[in-house]
Amino acid sequence: MDFADFPVSQNDLDRRIDKIIRIFIPSISLSLIYKDLRKGLIKVNGKKVREDYRVQNGDIVNIASFLLNDDDGKAAKQEADCTVPLPPVAFQNQHLLILNKPYDVLVHGSSDSLDKAVLNYYKSNIKDASLSFTPGPLHRLDRKTTGLLAFSLSLQGAHWFSEHIKDHSIQKYYAALVEGNVKQPEHWEDYIQKEENQKTAFKTVKASESISNEKEDKLASTDIIPLAYGTFNGKPVTLIKLNIHTGRTHQIRAQSSLHNHPLLGDTAYGGTKLLNQKQDFFLQAFCLQIPENPVELPPEIKLPLNHSFLNILNVCGIKEFVL
């Protein structure tokens, strides 16, 4: 009988063999995994093991080749085709992959979302890829927001980044083009509330200066700094820099609207509709500032504004600014 051999990686260590196989070959039920282990169709280092065996450094998992094929003869471990190519990489090491997310692409939730593209990339390009670890996004960006988005490539990277996003020691900076003149730096502290009775798939939220439901309303805290001024169709616009201290759904869009500076083009939140532009509105995560860390991240990862953003700034007469 032919067997395929899979060395375990750092991310697999001390995991039970049945749990590893359940993730690695999701088409096989747990009861069949137990049966295959008893029959010796799944081994470790050429020997039968119990389902509760925890893999160790240097172990090699041996799997009967026919188990790696589904009913159609395709590799069971192979992910579904993803038509979204991997976006440009802003930074990568063994722990983290930080991408420059393009406009109008979902981060997760569909066959064409970025998490699928990253998973395919991980399986195909990462040497010593784990049998049981699945990379995933470590924070959120809306479909129409562009810029820096971090994915995990190791458990250590996932745990460290998630912890420091949660405690806000990783600082996230955005650039946005908003309506009106923002004359000076401002601090916005509001509450994000759910909009009731929405029947469409796209859900908006409401920002309010006062709390109405202590259990459901979420505090949203944002600092903004005006960078440059221009006009669009005779109306004033401002390029602003934002530092968000919380990560609420549509936080920037909802707070900007509440404070009478909706994003230009963001009609869902009161912005003026844009015509003949490649983006509905312009919001880009351009900088991550990162504390000292054990996962080999630099203190800052930064992007220039994308081409479409620069083009609308030029239309508005904004040609000089410093992010």
Side-chain angles (χ1 to χ4, degrees):
M1 182 181 299
D2 291 332
F3 281 82
D5 297 333
F6 300 94
V8 301
S9 78
Q10 192 72 24
N11 291 318
D12 300 313
L13 299 185
D14 204 40
R15 288 194 174 190
R16 287 173 48 134
I17 185 64
D18 58 343
K19 305 301 184 187
I20 289 176
I21 299 302
R22 188 74 182 95
I23 294 171
F24 187 58
I25 317 178
S27 60
I28 302 180
S29 67
L30 201 55
S31 60
L32 282 177
I33 291 172
Y34 294 159
K35 182 177 179 181
D36 292 336
L37 284 164
R38 291 194 300 269
K39 294 172 65 175
L41 298 176
I42 301 171
K43 304 177 184 180
V44 178
N45 302 325
K47 299 178 181 179
K48 289 184 180 182
V49 294
R50 291 171 50 88
E51 63 271 10
D52 59 357
Y53 175 81
R54 295 183 179 273
V55 301
Q56 304 299 313
N57 192 29
D59 280 352
I60 296 177
V61 178
N62 322 110
I63 303 175
S65 297
F66 74 89
L67 294 178
L68 297 172
N69 295 319
D70 62 19
D71 293 338
D72 296 323
K74 298 177 182 178
K77 67 180 184 301
Q78 187 176 17
E79 297 301 315
D81 291 338
C82 178
T83 59
V84 174
L86 193 76
V89 175
F91 176 85
Q92 179 180 351
N93 65 13
Q94 63 178 319
H95 300 293
L96 293 158
L97 176 68
I98 300 179
L99 301 176
N100 183 2
K101 177 189 171 297
Y103 174 76
D104 204 26
V105 175
L106 286 171
V107 174
H108 55 77
S110 79
S111 61
D112 293 331
S113 52
L114 284 184
D115 60 341
K116 303 298 189 300
V118 170
L119 182 56
N120 285 349
Y121 172 79
Y122 178 80
K123 295 290 187 183
S124 302
N125 295 278
I126 302 299
K127 185 180 179 181
D128 303 324
S130 167
L131 301 179
S132 57
F133 172 77
T134 301
L138 298 174
H139 56 113
R140 295 181 307 215
L141 286 182
D142 292 343
R143 179 172 188 155
K144 294 185 178 181
T145 301
T146 64
L148 294 169
L149 179 65
F151 284 80
S152 57
L153 293 181
S154 75
L155 284 174
Q156 183 182 359
H159 291 159
W160 185 88
F161 198 95
S162 297
E163 177 185 346
H164 288 81
I165 280 286
K166 186 176 181 180
D167 68 17
H168 312 303
S169 57
I170 294 176
Q171 296 291 305
K172 297 184 288 184
Y173 292 90
Y174 294 73
L177 184 61
V178 301
E179 299 186 21
N181 283 325
V182 181
K183 297 180 180 179
Q184 61 187 9
E186 298 181 12
H187 174 71
W188 296 340
E189 195 158 289
D190 308 301
Y191 295 93
I192 300 298
Q193 303 167 348
K194 292 181 179 179
E195 294 270 35
E196 301 297 336
N197 302 319
Q198 296 188 75
K199 297 181 180 181
T200 59
F202 174 76
K203 309 292 185 185
T204 59
V205 299
K206 179 183 177 182
S208 173
E209 294 179 347
S210 60
I211 190 168
S212 62
N213 187 318
E214 291 187 2
K215 291 185 178 180
E216 293 192 6
D217 292 2
K218 304 296 184 182
L219 179 67
S221 178
T222 306
D223 290 323
I224 68 165
I225 298 174
L227 300 178
Y229 302 93
T231 59
F232 181 81
N233 288 343
K235 296 181 178 180
V237 294
T238 307
L239 173 65
I240 63 172
K241 174 182 177 179
L242 306 100
N243 179 15
I244 62 171
H245 304 294
T246 51
R248 309 306 182 194
T249 300
H250 293 187
Q251 174 174 326
I252 291 174
R253 299 169 65 183
Q255 283 193 286
S256 297
S257 179
L258 174 67
H259 291 273
N260 300 313
H261 296 294
L263 274 63
L264 180 66
D266 191 4
T267 56
Y269 287 93
T272 302
K273 184 177 179 61
L274 290 172
L275 300 175
N276 303 317
Q277 294 294 326
K278 293 184 178 180
Q279 295 184 199
D280 289 346
F281 57 84
F282 296 86
L283 177 62
Q284 179 173 332
F286 74 90
C287 182
L288 293 172
Q289 289 185 350
I290 302 166
E292 186 175 350
N293 61 85
V295 291
E296 303 172 18
L297 286 171
E300 183 177 88
I301 299 172
K302 195 171 183 179
L303 293 172
L305 297 184
N306 66 43
H307 178 75
S308 295
F309 206 141
L310 292 175
N311 182 66
I312 189 65
L313 292 180
N314 186 61
V315 170
C316 296
I318 299 175
K319 298 181 180 179
E320 294 186 7
F321 57 90
V322 178
L323 291 177

